[in-house]
Amino acid sequence: PRGFVMSALLRLSALPLLCALSLPAQAQLLSQKSISAAMAVTMVQTAIDTCKTNGFAVSATVVGRAGEVIAQVRGDGTGPHTVENSFRKAYTSRTFRISSGEWTKNLANNPTRGPQFLTNVIALQGALPIKVGEETIGALGVSGAPGGEKDEVCVQAALDKVADQLK
């Protein structure tokens, strides 16, 4: 009987330890930086204004962490497709955490990674990721200039405008 009691006590004393080990380690909320609406509006307007100064009518879209639209403006005199293309470029850049132009080059080298399998992904230059350090928190896409490299110049100007806030 004494051995039985000692064995039972030993098992019971180990129970709290086993319960503690089965709980998730450090279950807590995430802390992350996100793009504010005001910053997104500044970026969209700066991109549109920069392209306008360069002689191009464009639309611009800022997407956040999950690829959701934070700000989107169809520029004056732009074609109807430019809103969708600016979004898809931004979404592509956010998804892959690289410029949409770099994604286009990667795709040319490996066509099996094709965008035909992913909704909203497009192989066109004109978007850059928005980063805080190495963390991608969104992307800005522009569409409407004659060539994605010209769209990207306007995106870079917008990112430069808010660079001091991306820390």
Side-chain angles (χ1 to χ4, degrees):
R2 183 172 179 217
F4 174 75
V5 170
M6 290 300 286
S7 177
L9 286 175
L10 187 58
R11 278 185 243 145
L12 287 174
S13 67
L15 188 60
L17 177 62
L18 288 174
C19 288
L21 291 176
S22 68
L23 294 175
Q26 299 292 333
Q28 60 190 8
L29 293 174
L30 296 175
S31 177
Q32 52 192 359
K33 297 196 181 264
S34 296
I35 301 163
S36 70
M39 182 187 291
V41 168
T42 298
M43 286 188 279
V44 164
Q45 194 60 57
T46 300
I48 289 172
D49 291 347
T50 300
C51 273
K52 185 176 181 177
T53 299
N54 294 337
F56 313 123
V58 299
S59 294
T61 303
V62 171
V63 297
R65 290 180 167 278
E68 78 284 11
V69 173
I70 298 175
Q72 184 174 61
V73 175
R74 179 176 180 258
D76 297 336
T78 61
H81 67 285
T82 61
V83 172
E84 180 181 349
N85 277 347
S86 68
F87 164 70
R88 291 180 67 191
K89 289 178 182 185
Y91 185 88
T92 300
S93 181
R94 167 57 193 106
T95 298
F96 298 108
R97 297 180 175 112
I98 56 177
S99 73
S100 61
E102 188 175 343
W103 165 250
T104 302
K105 288 177 191 168
N106 291 347
L107 187 59
N109 294 331
N110 185 0
T112 61
R113 297 180 70 193
Q116 67 272 19
F117 302 114
L118 300 170
T119 303
N120 296 324
V121 171
I122 193 166
L124 292 174
Q125 186 175 0
L128 296 172
I130 300 168
K131 295 187 174 204
V132 174
E134 291 302 309
E135 182 181 9
T136 302
I137 62 169
L140 170 59
V142 168
S143 178
E149 71 284 351
K150 293 176 179 77
D151 290 327
E152 197 171 293
V153 167
C154 302
V155 171
Q156 188 61 59
L159 294 179
D160 292 345
K161 174 96 174 182
V162 298
D164 62 323
Q165 299 172 56
L166 295 171
K167 296 180 181 179

